[in-house]
Amino acid sequence: MYKYSVFSDAEAVFEELKQRGMSPTMKSHMLLLAAHARSGNATRCEEVMAQLHKSGLTPDTFALNAMLNAYARAGRLDDMERLLAAMERRGDADVGTYNVAVNAYGRAGYVGRMEAAFAAVAARGLAADVVTWTARMGAYARRKEYGRCVGMVEEMVDAGCYPDAGTARVLLAACSDERQVEQVTAIVRSMHKKPKTLFTI
């Protein structure tokens, strides 16, 4: 019900702008794109992108990332890959772009593709953020590869990127026994104290 209200309100505002003879701006298109991207309504996002072009506007990286996210959430990975390749060619890809790809591949179980997307961040001179690292870790957490996840947190901290609550949730998801849960709990409790020495287990 809440989602329906958000989407219907966004659509209503967008239509009202047009009815009043006002040209929708990039921001108004973005609000509509973001609303539908979150639900994975890629078809509606494509229509919004078409309207954006018709208005004479050029989609920015934020808009393209929303479209990428819509494809990912809809499971349309081929379309996601085509858009990602186009963004890379144009130089539009940022860390948010790769966060979508890393998360999508990880959730689909394509670990090789996920690692390639993660490696592309550094290859393009970008810095992986906590979202990138946590999405990567999530792929291994789903396979209950606890040791791999803990090792990845160490890599993350060494790279100067520190865990957040999302990282802690992923670490807990990787646990397969009570001892591991206790270790993660101890790590989470001390995160704010000694971030450089937390993950020696």
Side-chain angles (χ1 to χ4, degrees):
M1 191 70 177
Y2 172 74
K3 285 185 177 179
Y4 175 78
S5 176
V6 170
F7 300 149
S8 58
D9 287 351
E11 291 281 4
V13 170
F14 195 82
E15 288 304 316
E16 186 176 350
L17 282 173
K18 292 194 290 185
Q19 289 172 9
R20 292 190 178 190
M22 300 168 66
S23 298
T25 63
M26 176 64 76
K27 186 173 182 179
S28 57
H29 280 93
M30 268 311 310
L31 291 171
L32 201 53
L33 265 175
H36 289 294
R38 281 194 295 273
S39 71
N41 189 345
T43 299
R44 182 63 187 117
C45 285
E46 288 172 332
E47 293 169 354
V48 175
M49 288 291 275
Q51 291 173 352
L52 190 153
H53 284 291
K54 190 175 179 181
S55 299
L57 300 170
T58 301
D60 59 12
T61 297
F62 194 70
L64 293 170
N65 283 349
M67 189 71 245
L68 203 71
N69 190 39
Y71 284 141
R73 286 178 176 267
R76 292 170 55 178
L77 298 188
D78 288 345
D79 289 321
M80 183 194 80
E81 289 174 344
R82 277 192 286 272
L83 178 55
L84 174 58
M87 291 175 72
E88 288 176 330
R89 285 194 301 272
R90 288 173 42 176
D92 289 327
D94 64 5
V95 68
T97 306
Y98 292 105
N99 287 350
V100 173
V102 169
N103 188 53
Y105 288 137
R107 287 185 175 280
Y110 297 136
V111 175
R113 293 189 202 180
M114 182 269 294
E115 288 289 3
F118 182 84
V121 176
R124 292 187 171 268
L126 302 169
D129 61 18
V130 66
V131 176
T132 328
W133 282 99
T134 302
R136 181 188 181 206
M137 196 183 305
Y140 295 98
R142 291 181 193 91
R143 296 150 64 114
K144 295 297 180 183
E145 295 187 26
Y146 176 75
R148 183 73 181 90
C149 290
V150 171
M152 204 173 294
V153 175
E154 292 176 341
E155 293 175 43
M156 177 181 177
V157 172
D158 287 343
C161 184
Y162 295 99
D164 64 6
T167 314
R169 284 193 295 272
V170 169
L171 270 177
L172 285 169
C175 295
S176 56
D177 61 49
E178 189 174 325
R179 182 185 66 85
Q180 291 173 348
V181 172
E182 289 172 357
Q183 288 175 338
V184 171
T185 301
I187 289 169
V188 172
R189 284 176 179 165
S190 57
M191 271 183 179
H192 64 289
K193 295 178 182 177
K194 300 176 183 177
K196 290 290 186 182
T197 58
L198 294 183
F199 305 104
T200 302
I201 294 177

